[in-house]
Amino acid sequence: MTPQRLVFRSRIVLLAASGMPSKHIARQLDTSQDTVRLWRRRFATGGPDALVHDAPGRGRKRQITAAREQQIVEATLQTTPGRATHWSLRSMAAAQRLSPATIHRIWAAHGLQPHRMRTFKLSTDPAFVAKLIDVVGLYVNPPEKALVFCVDEKSQIQALQRSQPGLPMKPGRAGTFTHDYKRHGTTTLFAALNVLEGTVIGSCLPRHRHQEFRKFLNLLDTATPPNVDVHAVVDNYATHKHPAIERWLQHHPRFHLHFVPTSASWLNLVEVWFSHLTKEQIRRGDFLGVPDLIDAITAYIHHYNQQAGPFIWTAPAERILEKVMKCRAVSESLH
């Protein structure tokens, strides 16, 4: 979009080029003759570039020196207020004896946002590299005549019934639901995401033990063709490494478990699907009991599978390792 001041100056020059006198140009553009003469003169001496740039020294003089601005930036980065963990616009303005608007301009110019905080967790798994390469390899180069599933549990899903009916959304107003609720119990969803197709095999069970995980493996066994291997990406939860599960795997040699590194659940693609389930079905749900919750989850899986598409992994293991090593180096330098 062209700035209006440049459009205005260009119209002056174009009208002057057509032979129109300055008095008529000023009347047509609702400005003064001095302004018209100024930009005609500037264009005659500087050409088109003269219309783009203002003359030096124009506008309000700078009130905050560069040194003062740097002092505020350093105070934001290196200090905290006595009564809080981070600075706000008003607390910094009071400490520096400036207006909140001035602090906002300085923070915006330097990309400072003290109110924001991002979470992270570096894996300390000694086999991090090997596990990362193994799992990413399954995503980008799966074995032939085999199915790859991302398996995990979403435990303790609460069946919450809101204390009062909410109001529907309407133009200019968001939908509502009460902050308080009645708990009717919980369920645990065992889910397996088919990496190739994006479909989900799910089962809700009352508890989260190795017995329930074995039941889900039996379900996965019956739901997949018997002549293909099954590679399942799982986390390091003790249930997945229970002796009973190891015995089950020995009796089902076509099943292979691939463990993600500790503190690296982001490597399991089914976590992405869990986030969709939470946002689209569970978070705003109003359930009369656990059976109602289970029915809602089952219906969501059914409808989701009708239009499912694969979750395509695009990040190579080398790029992930590079980022992890960079983050680790920064963390160690600060501690």
Side-chain angles (χ1 to χ4, degrees):
M1 182 179 294
T2 306
Q4 288 302 304
R5 61 180 183 178
L6 180 57
V7 174
F8 173 74
R9 297 166 186 176
S10 299
R11 292 180 65 188
I12 292 175
V13 172
L14 292 174
L15 291 174
S18 67
M20 183 180 293
S22 297
K23 179 173 64 175
H24 295 170
I25 296 175
R27 186 181 301 115
Q28 180 170 331
L29 299 181
D30 193 22
T31 187
S32 66
Q33 295 188 48
D34 290 339
T35 300
V36 175
R37 296 190 188 101
L38 169 66
W39 289 110
R40 294 184 65 172
R41 185 167 59 250
R42 291 277 301 274
F43 180 78
T45 58
D49 289 341
L51 302 180
V52 178
H53 305 290
D54 293 332
R58 307 289 295 177
R60 182 181 178 184
K61 303 300 180 183
R62 182 169 180 171
Q63 303 296 312
I64 306 296
T65 64
R68 179 79 165 115
E69 183 173 319
Q70 185 61 33
Q71 177 187 356
I72 295 171
V73 171
E74 292 178 356
T76 305
L77 294 175
Q78 301 176 10
T79 67
T80 57
R83 60 180 177 81
T85 59
H86 60 280
W87 292 102
S88 67
L89 283 174
R90 285 168 177 77
S91 62
M92 178 58 75
Q96 299 293 332
R97 297 184 178 180
L98 295 171
S99 69
T102 300
I103 299 298
H104 181 270
R105 285 194 296 270
I106 295 173
W107 281 359
H110 292 269
L112 298 176
Q113 298 177 319
H115 64 287
R116 299 188 64 185
M117 181 70 73
R118 296 179 62 182
T119 59
F120 83 103
K121 179 68 179 292
L122 286 174
S123 175
T124 58
D125 194 326
F128 176 83
V129 176
K131 292 180 178 179
L132 172 68
I133 294 175
D134 177 40
V135 173
V136 173
L138 285 176
Y139 293 155
V140 300
N141 188 25
E144 296 183 358
K145 296 182 179 179
L147 294 174
V148 178
F149 286 93
C150 293
V151 178
D152 201 2
E153 304 87 14
K154 187 173 180 62
S155 60
Q156 300 297 308
I157 307 175
Q158 299 185 85
L160 304 180
Q161 181 182 9
R162 301 294 167 177
S163 60
Q164 298 175 2
L167 297 177
M169 178 182 64
K170 62 181 294 185
R173 188 191 70 190
T176 66
F177 61 85
T178 60
H179 68 279
D180 56 340
Y181 45 78
K182 179 180 180 181
R183 292 188 180 93
H184 289 292
T186 63
T187 188
T188 293
L189 171 63
F190 290 78
L193 172 71
N194 188 321
V195 174
L196 178 62
E197 300 177 352
T199 55
V200 173
I201 299 173
S203 176
C204 290
L205 296 171
R207 301 183 67 178
H208 186 199
R209 304 170 300 169
H210 74 273
Q211 292 94 331
E212 284 74 24
F213 183 57
R214 185 171 55 191
K215 289 181 181 179
F216 183 69
L217 288 177
N218 287 327
L219 173 64
L220 199 59
D221 185 29
T222 58
T224 54
N227 59 337
V228 297
D229 285 355
V230 175
H231 295 264
V233 177
V234 297
D235 61 21
N236 293 271
Y237 190 60
T239 294
H240 304 151
K241 301 179 179 181
H242 194 276
I245 301 301
E246 293 179 353
R247 289 193 298 270
W248 188 94
L249 293 172
Q250 292 174 0
H251 289 88
H252 299 78
R254 73 188 187 99
F255 274 76
H256 311 274
L257 298 188
H258 300 259
F259 295 94
V260 301
T262 56
S263 304
S265 59
W266 47 266
L267 199 54
N268 195 332
L269 283 176
V270 76
E271 297 291 347
V272 180
W273 183 82
F274 280 155
S275 70
H276 286 293
L277 171 67
T278 301
K279 290 185 292 186
E280 297 173 8
Q281 180 61 259
I282 296 177
R283 183 170 295 158
R284 297 188 185 186
D286 188 16
F287 307 107
L288 301 178
V290 173
D292 191 23
L293 171 62
I294 294 175
D295 289 343
I297 294 175
T298 304
Y300 179 85
I301 294 175
H302 173 74
H303 290 295
Y304 179 87
N305 286 340
Q306 301 303 313
Q307 52 186 359
F311 287 79
I312 300 176
W313 188 273
T314 59
E318 294 77 10
R319 189 194 309 169
I320 298 174
L321 284 174
E322 181 181 349
K323 291 184 177 181
V324 170
M325 297 306 295
K326 181 179 179 180
C327 184
R328 193 183 303 278
V330 173
S331 179
E332 292 175 352
S333 66
L334 295 176
H335 301 87

